[in-house]
Amino acid sequence: MKTNEPTLQGCPYDNLTESLCLDINLSKSEKRKAQIHLQQCAICRDKFEELEAIYTHLNEELSKPVSNKVLDLAKKIRSKDTVYGLVVCEPVKKEGEKSLSYKTKVLFTANGTGNNKSKLSDFDFKKLPQDNIAIRAMTDKACDKLLLYLWSSNRYSFEGLELKISDKSQRAVFNSAGVSHLPLMKIEDLGDKVIYFKEKQNNVSASENRFANIISAISAE
Ligand SMILES: [Zn+2]
């Protein structure tokens, strides 16, 4: 049976450690003070390591592609106001080079034109060809954008991937979890189009990553 460890209680700098881990509400000198304290106090070091593990895990979860279950749930919670659907993008093959252009096809929409009973989790995404990219699209009455959630079987991150639709001027740039948006349009209008996916050059993920900032703050100096 596990007992409470007395060593995990009672350091007066407890809150400081957590603030340091969350990277909030600390002035430069407080941050420095917390870093020095961490080097000296085993209790807070243990706590920091514990929090560090949680944030690492959380960060990994947040950067994973959004699951179909989550999107189905979002749809279910606000079923009348939410329109969502699935668009599959198939690469247009060109001889000898990796294609950037894709042909789109709408597999289903719910509460768009025609009321379909399908859910995203009804589709076996693993059966899609490996080079296809799926767009899970969603919008609701409170939102004037079309939200896009990418899925692909052979990518871990969508960071910096850019989407352009051939006959539209707007572009969407995706984060690592494959989330972005376009100005509001019908999901059906994403079908039978030629679209382009290309990698953007600047990779800013490491510097924008809060967890990376915390670690570099701790290990600085
Ligand atoms: Zn301490």
Side-chain angles (χ1 to χ4, degrees), residues 78-220:
R78 303 188 55 188
S79 58
K80 281 194 188 127
D81 296 338
T82 306
V83 179
Y84 82 159
L86 175 61
V87 182
V88 170
C89 314
E90 189 185 329
V92 181
K93 302 275 187 204
K94 279 187 192 151
E95 259 182 73
E97 38 183 272
K98 199 185 166 213
S99 176
L100 298 176
S101 51
Y102 292 76
K103 188 87 180 15
T104 61
K105 188 178 163 189
V106 176
L107 289 196
F108 91 98
T109 70
N111 295 21
T113 53
N115 208 329
N116 195 314
K117 291 267 188 238
S118 292
K119 297 198 299 288
L120 286 169
S121 48
D122 292 339
F123 291 87
D124 187 355
F125 279 60
K126 285 177 186 136
K127 283 186 180 158
L128 288 174
Q130 277 218 336
D131 54 1
N132 284 21
I133 295 177
I135 303 173
R136 285 93 40 97
M138 184 177 272
T139 190
D140 67 51
K141 278 182 186 163
C143 176
D144 63 350
K145 292 181 169 64
L146 182 67
L147 303 173
L148 308 171
Y149 303 87
L150 298 185
W151 184 93
S152 156
S153 64
N154 58 9
R155 283 185 81 108
Y156 294 106
S157 171
F158 295 97
E159 184 78 47
L161 192 68
E162 185 182 71
L163 165 69
K164 163 119 178 52
I165 302 174
S166 59
D167 59 353
K168 300 205 185 276
S169 60
Q170 300 91 356
R171 289 150 197 267
V173 178
F174 292 86
N175 68 11
S176 64
V179 184
S180 189
H181 56 79
L182 283 168
L184 190 59
M185 67 169 96
K186 282 184 180 171
I187 294 168
E188 289 83 354
D189 291 343
L190 279 180
D192 296 318
K193 288 254 187 312
V194 174
I195 64 167
Y196 305 93
F197 280 111
K198 69 169 191 183
E199 314 282 343
K200 285 199 92 182
Q201 289 302 313
N202 54 332
N203 190 347
V204 289
S205 60
S207 61
E208 282 185 346
N209 179 327
R210 168 173 277 182
F211 183 71
N213 288 342
I214 296 163
I215 293 304
S216 64
I218 300 299
S219 51

Side-chain angles (χ1 to χ4, degrees), residues 1-6 8-9:
M1 195 172 139
K2 210 181 165 195
T3 54
N4 279 340
E5 290 200 33
L8 284 179
Q9 295 159 3

Side-chain angles (χ1 to χ4, degrees), residues 10-14 17 37-38 40-45:
C11 176
Y13 290 96
D14 219 28
T17 308
H37 179 73
L38 266 190
Q40 296 164 345
C41 174
I43 298 170
C44 287
R45 224 162 34 235

Side-chain angles (χ1 to χ4, degrees), residues 11-31:
C11 176
Y13 290 96
D14 219 28
N15 293 335
L16 206 59
T17 308
E18 183 137 23
S19 299
L20 185 66
C21 213
L22 288 167
D23 202 18
I24 46 170
N25 294 332
L26 289 183
S27 69
K28 243 186 172 171
S29 67
E30 283 172 320
K31 215 178 240 181

